[in-house]
Amino acid sequence: MLNRLFPNLDWLQGYSRAAFGNDLIAALVVTIMLIPQGMAYAMLAGLPPQAGLYGAIVPLLLYAALGTSRTLAVGPVAVVALMTAAAAGEIATQGTPGYHLAALGIAVISGAIMLAMGLFRLGFIASFLSHPVISGFITAAGVLIAASQLRHLLGNDTRGRTLPEIVPSFFQNLGTIHLPTLVLGLVVLGFLFWSRKGLAPLLRRAGLGAGAASLLAKGALLVAVAGSTLIVWALGLDQSGVRVVGEIPRGLPDFGLPALDLGLLQLLIIPALMIAIVGYVESISIGQTLAAKRRQRLDPDRELIALGAANLGAGLSNAMPVTGGLSRSIVNFDAGAETPAAGAITALMIAVALIFLTPLLHFLPNATLAAIIVVAVASLLDFRALPRTFAYSRADGAAMAGTILVTLFIGVEEGLLAGVALSLVLFLYRTSRPHMAVIGQVAGTEHFRNIERHHVTTDPGVFSIRVDESLYFPNARALEDRILRAVAEQPELRHVVLNCVAVNFIDASALESLEEINQRLRDAGVQFHLTEVKGPVMDRLQRSHFLDELSGQVFLTQYDAMASLSPERTARCLAAPRAQSARQDTAGQGA
Amino acid sequence: MLNRLFPNLDWLQGYSRAAFGNDLIAALVVTIMLIPQGMAYAMLAGLPPQAGLYGAIVPLLLYAALGTSRTLAVGPVAVVALMTAAAAGEIATQGTPGYHLAALGIAVISGAIMLAMGLFRLGFIASFLSHPVISGFITAAGVLIAASQLRHLLGNDTRGRTLPEIVPSFFQNLGTIHLPTLVLGLVVLGFLFWSRKGLAPLLRRAGLGAGAASLLAKGALLVAVAGSTLIVWALGLDQSGVRVVGEIPRGLPDFGLPALDLGLLQLLIIPALMIAIVGYVESISIGQTLAAKRRQRLDPDRELIALGAANLGAGLSNAMPVTGGLSRSIVNFDAGAETPAAGAITALMIAVALIFLTPLLHFLPNATLAAIIVVAVASLLDFRALPRTFAYSRADGAAMAGTILVTLFIGVEEGLLAGVALSLVLFLYRTSRPHMAVIGQVAGTEHFRNIERHHVTTDPGVFSIRVDESLYFPNARALEDRILRAVAEQPELRHVVLNCVAVNFIDASALESLEEINQRLRDAGVQFHLTEVKGPVMDRLQRSHFLDELSGQVFLTQYDAMASLSPERTARCLAAPRAQSARQDTAGQGA
């Protein structure tokens, strides 16, 4: 029973003391990162700092129980925090109870959506997001996230959701920069950037092992937090205008269903859907990367269920929406986490911190949190992806560029939707023009090839065409157009032969198209034949009336068709000297 | 010069007196239908009757000059009229100047959209509408159209845009049925339905030829209009409450750009886009059906330009939106129209009617127009399409059912959008799970086949997989999942071979997926190889860094790959007795 509910807890059997030790160390390192990051992302989401810390308790416990990754570190992440701020900001002003309620609603609804997607195996919906769109979206989101932190780094009132709002606001507020905040912020920022590159080598030179040095370097976050807090406290900088975190309620979060009404639910459902999909895609790619390194495997549907439960848990415990995050997952993995227990231990440590350590965080300056955010998102920016993608495929490059521009200049949700719409349109454009080859017989053989690439024999009375694609609604019309053009152009035409060797599927639109082709050809006095129809396609056609109405026949092979429709010419071609040497013999030239 | 602007006027050269005679007769028959239908569809669109007649002047002249069909009859049609009413009804109340302005705006914008689609060759956008969605939409629209005419047939105030509005309104207004109107409406309705089936045989028995009888039967419309008008006038029924058309301004329409502001344009752009696409799809399918009967051909892009110009012309001449209509086009074709001149002559006849005949239409009862609408849409209803489509493909059936239900119960635009969304989701679902076959060597040959269907030899150290689909964003993740699962399940695995024989295209998402597969396999100590990559795909891959980073090799054939990666086993298998007889030798069984 327990096994069926929690099939991913198999690691519990034979959980060793050694594994526990490893999990404990990993949990400690992750906790040290998570406390400031959680508060920082809560600030980014426009929520009180505890919303980020709460997001590291219940959600982590639920993911540990239900998730299939052994090393994924779930919790607040930057992109989801930004999307939450954008969506909740549409409903109410930051800082109001309505805003907080909207954020909780987003967690609940996106959790429910993920859960439903997992239970009904709808994970494929995430494939609406093509890689170029995700990559462009994350880069653009990173730019907006960094820009949104200007306010905290400058200590003034620079605001805005998009570049056209932030840039003018930045210049208007240049006069009100708060110098102590700026200096503090820049020092922390510089220290954190340096620590990412410079600290580990330094520690190694000081005699530490490479692994330990790299782990200790993560402690830079702790140093930055403790150092800046001490400075503010010691110099009384909060009195002179450096904004600090302030009071964090001591103790564990309250539980309870947020008071959502139907109107609010309707407003939140689209943003919550987008957050669910982005969160899932981000999480599963990190999880799969890490799992593959140890030859482990994630179950995408179970991941959706686990992330859905984690977000529901977040919404019910006053926390912000969560997902699997890149940086902490890598740290968790590198620190040697072996099982989901590491996540559960992290949750307990955060709970302990909430009970005992919140007073210590009172004087933590917002500028430090902003610096932590900026350093975290810097690794998300990948500006070289755009030219690289363009070079590979202009359509993909266009989708990426569109996503980036709309996200930066119009908004986060609009950018994602524009990217999805662009991908779909470009995809349909490509699919709507399948490769079609008019084919003819290769001399001396029973083979038929593209007349544009090979010297082949055709009969002006027979039009043979091969479609190198399944027939479905985006391309149904293309075949119709091509065949009707041939009929209009070739007055001697008596037979059209459709070669289906590359057709894996025919949907209802294409079926109707075939029926219309058949009807129109009949009206024009032309017979319509099929050849090389695959078994499953034939089964399906037999369930319709198409074959009864077909004016021509279904031949097993193209050769059979031509031997029957143009016997003399086909026999002559078969007897001719083989291939290459044969001269091109097309409809216009006769013989 | 003129030839380039109007490349479709080639028929003018050598236009004979005989052809003119045929066009004239066809134009006369179409005009007789068009006068009452134009007024009826204007009523359906919530516009004054002249808006329908104006829609048969400028738009017809423009289509005659620019269109590529020789027999398509352009003008007001039922489905577009319903969609216009739905969209304009969102902006203002029927009968107000704002409503009229919105309808003109729809004509202008949808015309501009069609024009742009034609000029930029974006006609493929119409492929978003799968056949089941169109078919379901038109049936549901037909039901709503018929229901919307209840008001005119009952002479009361039954109203509503959807079934949940119309049905209760019908029952609430049962008490206020106007008997003379109902009797008149039912008589006309009965006469028109009878004339479709019963009149032509009667005329034939009276000695007319089949063709003439069928054409004369179309005159039933004229009889209904003249008869009911005379009755109303003679009995003074308009005094006792039978609603009539009333005053129609005499003369030609005014020209001028409607006073559209930016806000209105924004509100109208989505409905106008939908009307443009539905109008185009309806028109092109009728046009192609008729053209094929005479081995003529339509140019889809030029059709878009011609329909776009026609709608712009409609918007600038106070007319309702237009497109190619089914019933009048068939009549035009059957009556022997040979060239677009038939359309131009029709326009002139309508203009003459507007100048001289409008007083005669004063007493035409609305009930007659409603009966004409109901008879016209009866032919649109195809209820058997739903079970037929379901039987062929459940996904297509679901898309059709969804379209019908949402259109009937929520709204016209919502229904169309729901249908498009459903088709796309179901399409992605299908595409996101491409057919993938694990392959092994057929004994005694160099061939490799699906291990589930053939007795083949595999090597537990090598995982060979063939994807029977191009690799693009909807299915990029599926391959990743499948390969990672194999790696997790087969601890002895050292090589993964991806057979690309069926891959026609790799987009940027799939490329990134391949890069991730390569990276993850490398992390797991497994090499990644490709075989049978097609030329164009290889060209594109060479533009990326993928081949540089590939941990394995690109082999020409699957046999080359296996001969290199598993030389002993492959040689032994090649030497073994050929095919069928060989026993299955899979990873688990060794040997």
Side-chain angles (χ1 to χ4, degrees):
Chain A
M1 183 59 207
L2 206 72
N3 260 9
R4 266 215 273 161
L5 257 177
F6 302 105
N8 312 312
L9 291 183
D10 48 353
W11 57 268
L12 262 181
Q13 292 177 315
Y15 188 49
S16 69
R17 207 163 151 162
F20 175 72
N22 287 334
D23 286 344
L24 192 66
I25 292 173
L28 186 65
V29 182
V30 170
T31 304
I32 288 172
M33 286 179 76
L34 192 45
I35 292 177
Q37 282 193 349
M39 296 199 295
Y41 295 148
M43 186 170 89
L44 172 57
L47 296 170
Q50 63 270 23
L53 298 174
Y54 295 166
I57 301 179
V58 177
L60 266 66
L61 292 173
L62 286 168
Y63 184 83
L66 296 167
T68 59
S69 165
R70 299 194 158 200
T71 45
L72 191 69
V74 168
V77 306
V79 173
V80 167
L82 178 74
M83 293 178 78
T84 304
E90 291 285 316
I91 312 266
T93 312
Q94 274 196 20
T96 63
Y99 183 93
H100 199 153
L101 184 64
L104 294 179
I106 289 167
V108 170
I109 303 170
S110 65
I113 290 173
M114 284 172 159
L115 210 57
M117 281 169 68
L119 290 172
F120 298 110
R121 304 180 167 274
L122 297 175
F124 74 92
I125 289 179
S127 58
F128 269 109
L129 281 183
S130 69
H131 283 238
V133 169
I134 298 172
S135 152
F137 176 70
I138 288 186
T139 293
V143 171
L144 289 181
I145 290 171
S148 74
Q149 297 310 305
L150 280 172
R151 179 158 66 102
H152 301 294
L153 288 171
L154 301 174
N156 65 6
D157 208 34
T158 305
R159 280 176 195 273
R161 298 172 312 115
T162 61
L163 287 194
E165 289 175 14
I166 296 174
V167 172
S169 174
F170 170 75
F171 286 106
Q172 280 160 18
N173 287 283
L174 274 184
T176 57
I177 287 180
H178 188 248
L179 256 184
T181 303
L182 179 60
V183 171
L184 190 71
L186 287 181
V187 168
V188 175
L189 198 59
F191 171 71
L192 288 175
F193 270 117
W194 169 78
S195 73
R196 287 174 69 195
K197 300 270 161 100
L199 188 56
L202 202 77
L203 290 172
R204 269 206 303 284
R205 258 174 279 140
L208 271 93
S214 152
L215 272 183
L216 255 188
K218 308 295 175 196
L221 219 53
L222 191 61
V223 174
V225 167
S228 60
T229 306
L230 273 174
I231 288 171
V232 170
W233 173 73
L235 304 182
L237 289 180
D238 59 318
Q239 301 299 327
S240 61
V242 170
R243 278 173 250 163
V244 297
V245 164
E247 190 87 39
I248 298 176
R250 236 168 139 154
L252 298 177
D254 292 333
F255 287 85
L257 191 68
L260 302 167
D261 59 65
L262 203 69
L264 188 59
L265 285 178
Q266 279 184 332
L267 288 173
L268 292 177
I269 198 145
I270 296 290
L273 176 68
M274 291 198 277
I275 289 172
I277 291 179
V278 168
Y280 167 62
V281 169
E282 192 176 342
S283 182
I284 192 106
S285 16
I286 300 162
Q288 282 185 332
T289 303
L290 297 179
K293 291 194 192 207
R294 294 200 190 144
R295 289 202 166 206
Q296 292 161 352
R297 209 185 141 254
L298 302 197
D299 177 329
D301 290 322
R302 295 214 152 270
E303 279 300 292
L304 274 167
I305 292 172
L307 288 173
N311 274 296
L312 273 176
L316 302 184
S317 63
N318 274 305
M320 62 187 291
V322 297
T323 192
L326 179 65
S327 58
R328 291 193 307 274
S329 294
I330 292 176
V331 167
N332 195 34
F333 184 90
D334 287 344
E338 289 194 20
T339 73
I345 300 169
T346 304
L348 295 180
M349 289 181 173
I350 297 277
V352 169
L354 266 168
I355 296 171
F356 298 108
L357 304 182
T358 51
L360 296 183
L361 297 168
H362 186 282
F363 292 100
L364 173 58
N366 286 348
T368 300
L369 295 180
I372 290 173
I373 292 175
V374 171
V375 173
V377 299
S379 62
L380 297 180
L381 306 180
D382 182 5
F383 294 108
R384 275 166 306 175
L386 187 58
R388 197 172 62 227
T389 306
F390 249 117
Y392 181 72
S393 149
R394 280 193 301 165
D396 282 312
M400 188 187 256
T403 309
I404 293 177
L405 290 177
V406 176
T407 304
L408 287 180
F409 288 90
I410 299 181
V412 172
E413 286 167 21
E414 290 85 351
L416 205 56
L417 287 177
V420 170
L422 255 175
S423 309
L424 283 175
V425 167
L426 291 167
F427 172 65
L428 269 193
Y429 177 68
R430 194 149 60 210
T431 318
S432 69
R433 329 161 98 203
H435 183 249
M436 291 189 271
V438 180
I439 54 177
Q441 189 178 6
V442 179
T445 74
E446 295 187 3
H447 294 304
F448 289 76
R449 290 285 179 277
N450 190 342
I451 61 167
E452 285 172 16
R453 300 195 177 212
H454 301 269
H455 286 271
V456 293
T457 303
T458 59
D459 183 324
V462 184
F463 179 72
S464 298
I465 185 163
R466 190 190 72 218
V467 186
D468 291 341
E469 185 97 60
S470 286
L471 296 174
Y472 35 36
F473 73 89
N475 64 31
R477 197 166 291 279
L479 178 65
E480 221 172 305
D481 288 345
R482 182 70 193 83
I483 289 182
L484 293 179
R485 200 171 81 213
V487 173
E489 283 168 0
Q490 293 176 228
E492 324 92 301
L493 206 59
R494 290 293 164 268
H495 301 280
V496 168
V497 180
L498 178 64
N499 186 309
C500 300
V501 64
V503 175
N504 294 314
F505 186 78
I506 296 179
D507 81 351
S509 297
L511 175 71
E512 210 165 303
S513 221
L514 289 178
E515 282 168 352
E516 278 175 34
I517 291 171
N518 181 50
Q519 186 54 47
R520 288 170 189 182
L521 290 180
R522 189 198 296 273
D523 289 343
V526 176
Q527 281 195 317
F528 187 37
H529 311 272
L530 304 183
T531 71
E532 310 196 11
V533 183
K534 295 183 177 182
V537 175
M538 200 65 188
D539 291 348
R540 207 175 257 269
L541 286 181
Q542 265 151 359
R543 273 190 268 155
S544 76
H545 294 292
F546 174 66
L547 295 176
D548 308 332
E549 286 159 18
L550 187 65
S551 60
Q553 292 173 256
V554 179
F555 294 100
L556 205 60
T557 69
Q558 184 71 30
Y559 179 79
D560 290 350
M562 295 309 291
S564 160
L565 302 175
S566 173
E568 262 181 59
R569 199 181 296 254
T570 304
R572 220 183 318 138
C573 180
L574 183 63
R578 183 160 178 151
Q580 300 306 80
S581 56
R583 75 182 177 85
Q584 190 158 8
D585 176 16
T586 54
Q589 300 165 310
Chain B
M1 181 59 206
L2 206 73
N3 260 8
R4 265 215 274 161
L5 257 177
F6 301 105
N8 312 313
L9 290 184
D10 49 351
W11 56 269
L12 262 181
Q13 292 177 315
Y15 187 50
S16 69
R17 210 164 146 160
F20 175 72
N22 287 333
D23 286 344
L24 193 66
I25 292 174
L28 187 65
V29 182
V30 170
T31 303
I32 288 172
M33 285 180 77
L34 192 45
I35 292 177
Q37 281 193 350
M39 295 199 296
Y41 295 149
M43 185 170 89
L44 172 56
L47 295 170
Q50 63 269 25
L53 298 174
Y54 295 166
I57 302 180
V58 177
L60 266 67
L61 292 173
L62 286 168
Y63 184 82
L66 295 167
T68 60
S69 166
R70 298 192 158 201
T71 46
L72 191 70
V74 169
V77 306
V79 173
V80 167
L82 177 74
M83 293 178 78
T84 303
E90 291 285 315
I91 312 267
T93 313
Q94 274 196 21
T96 63
Y99 183 92
H100 199 154
L101 184 64
L104 294 179
I106 289 168
V108 169
I109 303 171
S110 65
I113 290 173
M114 284 172 160
L115 209 56
M117 281 170 68
L119 290 172
F120 299 110
R121 304 180 166 275
L122 298 175
F124 74 92
I125 288 179
S127 59
F128 270 109
L129 281 183
S130 69
H131 282 238
V133 169
I134 298 172
S135 152
F137 176 71
I138 288 186
T139 293
V143 171
L144 289 181
I145 290 170
S148 74
Q149 298 309 305
L150 281 172
R151 179 156 67 101
H152 301 293
L153 288 170
L154 302 175
N156 64 5
D157 207 35
T158 306
R159 280 176 194 273
R161 299 172 311 115
T162 62
L163 288 195
E165 290 174 14
I166 296 174
V167 172
S169 173
F170 170 75
F171 286 106
Q172 279 158 21
N173 287 283
L174 274 183
T176 58
I177 288 178
H178 187 249
L179 255 184
T181 304
L182 178 60
V183 170
L184 190 70
L186 287 181
V187 168
V188 175
L189 197 60
F191 170 70
L192 288 176
F193 269 117
W194 167 78
S195 73
R196 288 175 67 195
K197 300 270 160 100
L199 188 56
L202 201 76
L203 290 171
R204 267 205 305 283
R205 256 176 279 140
L208 272 90
S214 154
L215 272 185
L216 257 187
K218 308 294 173 196
L221 219 52
L222 192 60
V223 174
V225 168
S228 60
T229 305
L230 275 174
I231 289 170
V232 170
W233 173 74
L235 304 183
L237 288 182
D238 59 320
Q239 302 299 328
S240 61
V242 171
R243 277 174 251 164
V244 297
V245 164
E247 189 87 40
I248 298 176
R250 235 169 139 154
L252 297 176
D254 293 332
F255 287 85
L257 190 68
L260 301 167
D261 60 64
L262 203 70
L264 187 59
L265 285 178
Q266 280 184 333
L267 287 173
L268 292 177
I269 197 145
I270 296 290
L273 175 68
M274 291 198 277
I275 289 173
I277 291 179
V278 168
Y280 166 62
V281 169
E282 191 175 346
S283 182
I284 191 106
S285 18
I286 300 160
Q288 282 185 332
T289 304
L290 297 179
K293 291 194 191 206
R294 295 200 190 145
R295 287 202 168 206
Q296 292 161 351
R297 207 185 143 255
L298 302 197
D299 178 329
D301 290 321
R302 293 211 154 272
E303 278 301 292
L304 273 166
I305 292 172
L307 289 173
N311 274 296
L312 272 176
L316 301 185
S317 64
N318 275 305
M320 61 186 292
V322 297
T323 193
L326 179 64
S327 58
R328 290 194 307 276
S329 295
I330 293 175
V331 167
N332 195 35
F333 184 91
D334 287 344
E338 289 195 21
T339 73
I345 300 169
T346 304
L348 295 180
M349 290 180 171
I350 298 278
V352 169
L354 266 168
I355 295 170
F356 299 107
L357 304 183
T358 51
L360 298 183
L361 297 168
H362 185 285
F363 292 101
L364 173 57
N366 286 347
T368 301
L369 296 180
I372 290 172
I373 293 176
V374 171
V375 173
V377 298
S379 62
L380 297 180
L381 306 180
D382 182 4
F383 294 108
R384 274 166 306 174
L386 188 58
R388 197 172 62 225
T389 306
F390 249 116
Y392 181 72
S393 150
R394 280 192 301 165
D396 283 311
M400 188 186 254
T403 309
I404 293 177
L405 290 177
V406 176
T407 304
L408 288 179
F409 288 90
I410 299 182
V412 173
E413 287 168 19
E414 290 84 352
L416 205 56
L417 286 177
V420 170
L422 255 175
S423 309
L424 283 175
V425 168
L426 292 167
F427 173 65
L428 269 193
Y429 177 68
R430 192 148 62 210
T431 318
S432 69
R433 327 161 100 203
H435 183 249
M436 291 189 272
V438 180
I439 53 176
Q441 187 179 8
V442 180
T445 74
E446 295 186 4
H447 295 303
F448 289 76
R449 290 285 179 276
N450 190 343
I451 61 168
E452 284 171 17
R453 300 195 176 211
H454 301 269
H455 285 272
V456 293
T457 304
T458 59
D459 183 323
V462 184
F463 179 73
S464 298
I465 185 162
R466 189 189 72 218
V467 186
D468 292 342
E469 184 96 60
S470 286
L471 297 174
Y472 35 35
F473 72 89
N475 64 30
R477 198 167 292 278
L479 178 65
E480 223 173 303
D481 289 345
R482 183 69 193 85
I483 289 182
L484 293 180
R485 200 170 83 213
V487 172
E489 282 168 1
Q490 292 176 230
E492 325 94 297
L493 206 58
R494 291 293 164 267
H495 301 280
V496 168
V497 180
L498 178 64
N499 186 310
C500 300
V501 65
V503 175
N504 294 315
F505 186 78
I506 297 181
D507 80 351
S509 297
L511 175 71
E512 211 164 304
S513 223
L514 289 179
E515 283 168 351
E516 278 175 35
I517 291 171
N518 181 50
Q519 186 54 48
R520 289 171 189 182
L521 289 181
R522 190 199 294 274
D523 290 343
V526 176
Q527 282 195 317
F528 187 37
H529 311 272
L530 304 182
T531 71
E532 311 197 9
V533 183
K534 295 183 178 181
V537 174
M538 199 65 187
D539 291 348
R540 210 175 254 270
L541 285 182
Q542 265 151 358
R543 275 192 266 156
S544 76
H545 296 291
F546 174 66
L547 296 176
D548 308 333
E549 285 159 18
L550 187 65
S551 61
Q553 293 172 255
V554 180
F555 294 99
L556 205 60
T557 69
Q558 183 72 30
Y559 178 78
D560 290 350
M562 294 309 291
S564 161
L565 302 176
S566 173
E568 262 182 59
R569 197 182 298 254
T570 305
R572 219 185 316 139
C573 180
L574 183 62
R578 186 164 176 148
Q580 302 304 78
S581 55
R583 74 182 180 83
Q584 191 159 9
D585 175 15
T586 53
Q589 299 165 309

